[in-house]
Amino acid sequence: MRKINKTLKMKSSKIKKTNEIKAIIFDVNGVLMLGKGIDIHEYMAKKLESTIERWFDTIEPYWSDIVKDESKTLNFLTNVTKEYQVPKSKIEKWLLKAFKKRFKKNRKLFRIGKKLRKIGYKTAILSDQTSFSYEVFKRYKMEDLVDLALWSQKEGMRKPDIKFYELLILRLKLPAKNCLFIDNHEWNLVPARKIGMKTILFENNNQAIHDLNKAGVKW
């Protein structure tokens, strides 16, 4: 009986070890940077003396393009200028200001990310950005915080495209089952789970810390 129990414990330990979390992946907007995307659009509508509905109608054909490809930014600005008769330089200035004003650094999660990397976890970023938000956020040196950063506008794909997640796993050089992804939108977690990653839906820092500890991540 003792031999059987010992064997079962050894098997359980091996299973646990093969499934343990070795990499933590962070989203940016709403996670590492606290704020809401809708605030950016409301800010722009107000600056343009427009309704939010008109603003969304104007940007809808182009916004997804600039999230996936920063080279499309000029085309986006040209079409916004055409609609509102406002210079491109002013539109760009307002968008940069919007991201500066409406998002703030999540200092607590930054500190946790640094600690996790220091004790041996791989850390990464998987994020949808435009050239405007990236320009603002790069002053926080997030790429120094992690081992790997994948930005949608530079990779030509965005969440929730499963290929974006597969690219992340490929570059991390780890099985998906050893990775945990933190995002503030449930629809962005679905593809992560499909390829075998563990996930946390971010609501606030205390909840995220609790869920990380529950998943066996200690620092």
Side-chain angles (χ1 to χ4, degrees), residues 5-210:
N5 288 339
K6 191 176 179 180
T7 302
L8 288 171
K9 281 181 182 178
M10 285 174 68
K11 284 183 178 179
S12 176
S13 176
K14 282 180 181 178
I15 291 168
K16 190 175 180 182
K17 196 165 184 179
T18 57
N19 289 323
E20 71 181 353
I21 295 165
K22 296 179 181 178
I24 316 295
I25 301 100
F26 300 95
D27 176 33
V28 173
N29 298 16
V31 179
L32 285 176
M33 296 295 299
L34 296 174
K36 296 179 181 177
I38 188 65
D39 292 342
I40 304 301
H41 300 299
E42 287 177 350
Y43 179 93
M44 290 303 296
K46 186 176 179 181
K47 281 290 185 182
L48 291 162
E49 298 179 353
S50 166
T51 63
I52 190 74
E53 290 79 15
R54 182 185 171 195
W55 168 252
F56 276 133
D57 284 346
T58 302
I59 69 168
E60 195 274 331
Y62 315 105
W63 192 262
S64 184
D65 286 344
I66 66 171
V67 172
K68 289 191 290 186
D69 184 353
E70 60 190 1
S71 72
K72 305 284 187 181
T73 303
L74 181 59
N75 184 52
F76 164 80
L77 289 170
T78 299
N79 282 282
V80 175
T81 290
K82 192 183 295 182
E83 173 67 24
Y84 287 101
Q85 298 300 300
V86 175
K88 294 186 188 75
S89 58
K90 193 165 275 192
I91 300 294
E92 185 172 15
K93 181 183 175 183
W94 286 343
L95 276 164
L96 292 170
K97 195 170 183 180
F99 280 103
K100 282 179 185 175
K101 288 172 73 72
R102 301 299 189 224
F103 280 89
K104 64 178 182 178
K105 179 180 177 180
N106 187 344
R107 297 182 184 279
K108 193 167 189 176
L109 207 56
F110 265 68
R111 288 196 295 270
I112 290 169
K114 285 179 182 177
K115 286 179 182 177
L116 290 171
R117 192 180 184 197
K118 191 175 181 179
I119 62 175
Y121 286 97
K122 275 193 174 183
T123 54
I125 283 170
L126 185 73
S127 180
D128 289 349
Q129 296 297 331
T130 63
S131 61
F132 310 110
S133 55
Y134 181 76
E135 183 64 28
V136 172
F137 295 161
K138 72 180 183 182
R139 67 179 175 161
Y140 297 107
K141 299 180 179 178
M142 281 182 271
E143 289 173 337
D144 295 340
L145 177 72
V146 296
D147 298 291
L148 174 69
L150 265 63
W151 307 101
S152 63
Q153 85 286 5
K154 295 184 179 294
E155 299 295 342
M157 57 186 83
R158 64 174 299 186
K159 297 177 289 183
D161 184 348
I162 201 164
K163 291 177 182 176
F164 201 18
Y165 302 75
E166 290 170 342
L167 179 63
L168 171 78
I169 293 303
L170 183 67
R171 292 195 186 167
L172 277 173
K173 298 177 182 177
L174 281 172
K177 65 182 179 181
N178 297 128
C179 301
L180 185 149
F181 179 45
I182 305 171
D183 196 286
N184 64 321
H185 293 301
E186 173 62 28
W187 60 79
N188 287 332
L189 298 176
V190 174
R193 288 195 288 267
K194 274 186 179 178
I195 65 170
M197 294 169 67
K198 298 173 180 66
T199 62
I200 289 175
L201 178 62
F202 182 91
E203 294 171 15
N204 57 62
N205 284 332
N206 289 338
Q207 164 264 326
I209 290 166
H210 175 268

